[in-house]
Every structure is written in structure tokens, then in C-alpha cells.
Amino acid sequence: MKTIWKKYRVLLTATGMAVCMAAGMMLGIGWSRSRIENMAVRAADDKMAEEQAGQGGADTSAYENMRYKMYGDKLYKDAVADEEIVRKVCDRYSLDYDTALAKDVTKEMYNYEEALWLAKDMGDCPLLTEDVAGEKENLAYSSLEEYICDIYAFGDGKAVIESMCRKFGIASHGTVISGLTAEQLIQIGEKAYETSDHPKE
């Protein structure tokens, strides 16, 4: 066995590295696809709200219309890459996992989905960018602050997080995303939305 290992060591090592890199690439592609879809939904939502505001008032069905344009009659479970998160959203809002349509997911449901994703995929990231230690490989965002500043296109993420953490009675420094509840993450997102310059419905 040692002789085989010595003889083919380089080949076996290269093969192992190639397999690991391919697996990492596939995971990254799946994650990126889900994030891009969600960011596209948010951008379309903002555009719809801006158009409605320009017409003298927001249509209460604007969000639902936008979801329909994005997904048509696509099943919710097919629109989101993470099956576990889809099941949790369906359980919480009494949706049928096999028949629920993406177009029927409300803002409240989407906010819950986003909070679950943050806790699961970015759970070990700190709330504030200044608390990031080392590189967070394979992550588009290294902190909650970086994420909400990008999503809501504003620079007050730190102030929003710190003010909400004071309200929750928890420290903003030294806390990671998974240390917050889904409800707290939703409240931070809502506060960021209100604080940002994005058109409001």
C-alpha cells in the first residue's frame, strides 16, 4: 500500500483536490442562484413600489403582481434552492409544500424566508463588519451590516443594527447572526428598509 501511495501520491492528491473543488463550486453555484433570485425579487419590488408611488398611491396587490411577473405559476419549492427553508416557511404559514406557488408568497413570508437563510448560511458571521476576523471564504457577505447595506443600498447598516440591538437588550459587538431570532432579523431588515432611501409603498 505504501508503495502504491508513493507511486501515485501526486495523482491521488490532485484527484482529491479536483473533487473537493468541484463540490465547492456546485455548492457556490446553488447558493448564488438562490441569492440572485431573491435580490432580483427585491429589486423588482422596489421598482414596482416606485412606479406605484408615481401614480399617486401604491396598489395593495403590487407585490403579488411583481411575484407573478417573476415566477408565473412556478412552485415555491422550485423557486428557492433550500428545501429545508421552504418547508419551514410552509409550516409557519400553513402552505402546502407540494402545491404552494412562488407568486403567492407574501412580503411577510419572504422576510421570514430571508431571516432563515441569514441564520443558516451566514449564521457564524458577526453583526458588524468591524468584528469580522479573517476571510469568510465562499461568502458574498462577511457580516449582517455588509449584507443590509448592499441589499438596501445605503450606508447606515451599522447604526440600524446597533439601535435595534439596544432595543433587543443584546450586544451588537461579539454577537453572530445565528445569535438573533428570526423575528429580530426581520425587525432589523424592516428598520433598514425604513431608514434607506428605497421607495416606500
Side-chain angles (χ1 to χ4, degrees), residues 76-89:
Y76 179 42
K77 67 179 182 179
D78 294 334
V80 178
D82 195 308
E83 178 184 340
E84 180 186 5
I85 289 177
V86 173
R87 287 191 181 279
K88 285 182 178 179
V89 173

Side-chain angles (χ1 to χ4, degrees), residues 84-178:
E84 180 186 5
I85 289 177
V86 173
R87 287 191 181 279
K88 285 182 178 179
V89 173
C90 289
D91 287 345
R92 176 164 175 158
Y93 294 100
S94 301
L95 300 175
D96 184 277
Y97 174 80
D98 292 311
T99 61
L101 300 177
K103 68 176 183 178
D104 296 326
V105 174
T106 64
K107 278 188 177 181
E108 180 183 351
M109 295 174 191
Y110 172 76
N111 288 342
Y112 182 60
E113 174 197 315
E114 181 182 40
L116 293 176
W117 173 81
L118 283 167
K120 182 176 180 179
D121 285 23
M122 290 181 57
D124 63 342
C125 294
L127 302 184
L128 302 176
T129 301
E130 63 193 70
D131 291 337
V132 174
E135 292 295 322
K136 296 287 183 184
E137 294 182 9
N138 301 321
L139 287 179
Y141 305 101
S142 58
S143 67
L144 181 62
E145 176 188 347
E146 188 179 340
Y147 175 78
I148 65 174
C149 282
D150 185 43
I151 293 298
Y152 297 103
F154 79 137
D156 295 327
K158 180 179 179 181
V160 167
I161 291 169
E162 288 180 333
S163 69
M164 294 305 292
C165 283
R166 283 194 296 272
K167 179 180 176 182
F168 301 148
I170 60 176
S172 55
H173 289 284
T175 301
V176 294
I177 292 174
S178 60

Side-chain angles (χ1 to χ4, degrees), residues 5-122:
W5 168 248
K6 284 181 181 178
K7 189 172 181 180
Y8 297 105
R9 174 171 59 190
V10 175
L11 179 62
L12 291 171
T13 301
T15 303
M17 289 176 67
V19 169
C20 289
M21 287 172 65
M25 216 160 143
M26 293 304 291
L27 287 171
I29 289 169
W31 176 85
S32 296
R33 181 174 167 248
S34 177
R35 283 298 87 202
I36 288 168
E37 285 179 353
N38 284 336
M39 289 175 77
V41 167
R42 189 177 294 280
D45 183 26
D46 291 336
K47 184 176 179 182
M48 178 72 74
E50 187 175 6
E51 288 173 357
Q52 293 296 333
Q55 293 171 9
D59 185 341
T60 56
S61 64
Y63 183 77
E64 288 74 13
N65 289 339
M66 178 274 302
R67 294 286 296 192
Y68 183 77
K69 287 179 182 177
M70 288 290 298
Y71 296 112
D73 291 320
K74 190 173 186 178
L75 292 173
Y76 179 42
K77 67 179 182 179
D78 294 334
V80 178
D82 195 308
E83 178 184 340
E84 180 186 5
I85 289 177
V86 173
R87 287 191 181 279
K88 285 182 178 179
V89 173
C90 289
D91 287 345
R92 176 164 175 158
Y93 294 100
S94 301
L95 300 175
D96 184 277
Y97 174 80
D98 292 311
T99 61
L101 300 177
K103 68 176 183 178
D104 296 326
V105 174
T106 64
K107 278 188 177 181
E108 180 183 351
M109 295 174 191
Y110 172 76
N111 288 342
Y112 182 60
E113 174 197 315
E114 181 182 40
L116 293 176
W117 173 81
L118 283 167
K120 182 176 180 179
D121 285 23
M122 290 181 57

